[in-house]
Amino acid sequence: MLKINKNYLQLNESYLFSTIARKIKAFTDEHPDKRVIRMGIGDVTRPLCGAVIDSLHDGVSEMASADTFRGYGPEQGYDFLRGAVQGYYASFGVNLDMNEIFISDGAKSDIGNILDIFDVDNTVLIPDPVYPVYVDTNMMAGRKILFMNANADNNFLPLPDESVKADIIYICSPNNPTGAVYDYDGLKKWVDYANDCGAVILFDAAYEAFVAEDRLPRSIYEIEGARRCAIELCSLSKTAGFTGTRCGYTVVPSQLVFDGVALNKLWLRRQTTKFNGVPYIVQKGAAAVFSPEGLVQVRENIDYYRRNAAVMTAAFDEMGVWYTGGKNSPYIWFKCPSDMKSWDFFDLLLNEQQVVGTPGAGFGRNGEGFFRLTAFGKYEDTVEAMERIKKLFATL
Ligand code: PLP
């Protein structure tokens, strides 16, 4: 008799976004005249930039002619894109070998897939609150998970606890959901800890393009010793609006050797066996992100979201509300007023001011009492939403 993977039965049902959608529907059915502003979405709203669109068109045209048609490509990505990513890292002082860069269809897939190369017996250390994919992918495999507390006391940037031993450590900076960003010192502590205990860090850099201040690292490889302990997963989703187009990259340095085996070789083996690469056309578009004009255009879109984030942080500063994020991140994570629980605040904000955000409790135990807003909406909506939020706070 076939046996299923029973670990799937242990997963928590993901009610977060379905509950939000249900509550919005119930409200709009009852109040069709009221305009709801959605500040909870984690998806981008700006279109792909011109340089990417032109390059995608070029790719399509090449596919139409026998001379330039491409079939199966290298599983780990075309050299033109790997070279472009390599050049991007070099622009902020990180030197990578092209063979250390693997092109993917986005960070989410690789976050799940990378676990293939690690034994089930490893212990995993995950911050709480967290991007839920880290937890669920490990639960699916049946790995033991330890949580580290991110909270207001540590500004949602937990540091290593020497008494806790783990083999796989997740760090996301700039963080989803909290928007908090590690500085060089904080990341160095994690790198030293991982090297001391022989652990691997899975560093999620999906929001690196939002890092605005030079005092903050955008890649873990800016930290000395990281090439011996860290895999970096990144994505063009938020950098360049590729959430629907799908392209990302994972860096596996050649110095990562565990159990006498290079992880780079294992990952190459895994990818060449289970993955047939990202479409040529998409890789063409992705390479344009790193061209001189692509970099300028992509920056304009990021600046658009940054301006939204500045409107939001200015409003919270004015109200004296405790928050993290916003400055080097598209997420603002703030404390609910009057010690309210996050779902109670969600209901109040929707019912009184028709603004939708994401209750922090949906991201883990420590998210209770906090609330996430995103800067990915339209500027005019962001301005109006913050005016509405100010009105609500004034009544509490
Ligand atoms: N990592 C984090 C922290 C995210 O928030 C997201 C998407 O929201 C991803 C990874 C997934 O990105 P991708 O679109 O590249 O799969």
Side-chain angles (χ1 to χ4, degrees):
M1 253 287 256
L2 173 94
K3 293 194 181 69
I4 60 153
N5 179 350
K6 293 221 170 45
N7 294 319
Y8 277 64
L9 308 181
Q10 306 303 316
L11 296 169
N12 295 323
E13 271 309 324
S14 179
Y15 293 124
L16 181 59
F17 290 100
S18 55
T19 308
I20 291 174
R22 187 172 46 73
K23 282 176 182 269
I24 297 174
K25 187 172 179 314
F27 180 85
T28 48
D29 283 352
E30 209 176 315
H31 307 276
D33 52 316
K34 301 244 160 117
R35 191 171 83 90
V36 174
I37 302 181
R38 290 164 199 249
M39 305 278 283
I41 44 159
D43 200 352
V44 293
T45 52
R46 308 286 298 159
L48 295 173
C49 68
V52 168
I53 293 294
D54 288 347
S55 197
L56 288 169
H57 280 306
D58 288 348
V60 171
S61 299
E62 286 177 52
M63 295 302 257
S65 156
D67 296 341
T68 47
F69 168 79
R70 312 272 182 138
Y72 290 123
E75 291 90 342
Q76 58 278 45
Y78 284 100
D79 281 357
F80 66 79
L81 180 52
R82 300 169 95 193
V85 173
Q86 185 186 36
Y88 177 64
Y89 273 89
S91 73
F92 51 86
V94 172
N95 294 313
L96 300 175
D97 192 282
M98 213 147 79
N99 292 329
E100 297 176 322
I101 300 164
F102 295 80
I103 305 302
S104 72
D105 63 351
K108 194 184 201 178
S109 326
D110 275 8
I111 288 166
N113 294 338
I114 196 81
L115 296 173
D116 263 18
I117 64 171
F118 302 119
D119 193 277
V120 172
D121 277 344
N122 290 300
T123 299
V124 180
L125 185 59
I126 300 182
D128 171 353
V130 75
Y131 176 54
V133 176
Y134 309 155
V135 178
D136 289 354
T137 49
N138 279 290
M139 284 185 72
M140 286 171 178
R143 255 182 220 99
K144 179 176 170 203
I145 301 176
L146 304 175
F147 287 97
M148 51 175 145
N149 289 320
N151 50 41
D153 292 340
N154 56 30
N155 287 318
F156 287 91
L157 293 169
L159 291 173
D161 173 350
E162 301 296 334
S163 67
V164 175
K165 292 287 166 244
D167 307 299
I168 301 173
I169 301 162
Y170 284 83
I171 299 178
C172 178
S173 177
N175 190 273
N176 176 16
T178 69
V181 190
Y182 279 101
D183 61 12
Y184 285 88
D185 280 353
L187 273 194
K188 176 82 175 108
K189 290 195 173 85
W190 277 113
V191 166
D192 289 346
Y193 166 82
N195 278 326
D196 281 350
C197 62
V200 73
I201 294 175
L202 299 182
F203 186 75
D204 187 337
Y207 297 94
E208 62 83 21
F210 286 85
V211 173
E213 295 173 70
D214 287 343
R215 66 179 186 88
L216 301 169
R218 45 182 52 208
S219 162
I220 196 162
Y221 303 120
E222 292 180 65
I223 311 299
E224 208 234 303
R227 289 181 55 88
R228 282 183 284 119
C229 64
I231 290 175
E232 182 158 299
L233 304 113
C234 199
S235 167
L236 296 185
S237 284
K238 309 298 156 74
T239 303
F242 270 60
T243 49
T245 309
R246 309 304 307 147
C247 196
Y249 45 89
T250 292
V251 180
V252 187
S254 53
Q255 284 104 315
L256 284 180
V257 177
F258 292 83
D259 263 352
V261 178
L263 295 190
N264 184 289
K265 295 274 165 304
L266 281 189
W267 181 239
L268 179 65
R269 189 71 173 87
R270 190 269 169 211
Q271 289 298 79
T272 49
T273 303
K274 292 197 184 181
F275 184 55
N276 247 342
V278 175
Y280 172 71
I281 297 166
V282 171
Q283 293 194 56
K284 275 285 284 193
V289 169
F290 303 102
S291 67
E293 54 163 349
L295 286 171
V296 171
Q297 293 171 1
V298 159
R299 179 66 32 215
E300 283 165 9
N301 278 347
I302 301 263
D303 285 347
Y304 181 96
Y305 300 132
R306 278 220 183 100
R307 187 167 62 132
N308 289 348
V311 168
M312 295 156 77
T313 54
F316 286 118
D317 285 338
E318 192 187 317
M319 292 184 285
V321 172
W322 193 99
Y323 69 91
T324 55
K327 306 247 156 54
N328 298 278
S329 152
Y331 296 117
I332 283 96
W333 174 260
F334 64 94
K335 191 162 177 355
C336 299
S338 319
D339 288 326
M340 285 177 86
K341 294 195 154 196
S342 20
W343 276 110
D344 293 342
F345 182 69
F346 175 94
D347 291 335
L348 187 72
L349 188 57
L350 174 61
N351 292 323
E352 298 294 320
Q353 292 295 339
Q354 295 80 57
V355 175
V356 175
T358 315
F363 299 100
R365 209 168 43 89
N366 289 330
E368 182 59 279
F370 289 86
F371 206 76
R372 191 192 77 171
L373 295 179
T374 85
F376 286 127
K378 284 209 190 92
Y379 178 72
E380 295 71 21
D381 284 349
T382 306
V383 170
E384 190 178 336
M386 292 320 297
E387 287 307 316
R388 294 184 187 185
I389 289 174
K390 276 197 246 173
K391 269 195 213 139
L392 178 66
F393 271 71
T395 64
L396 298 167

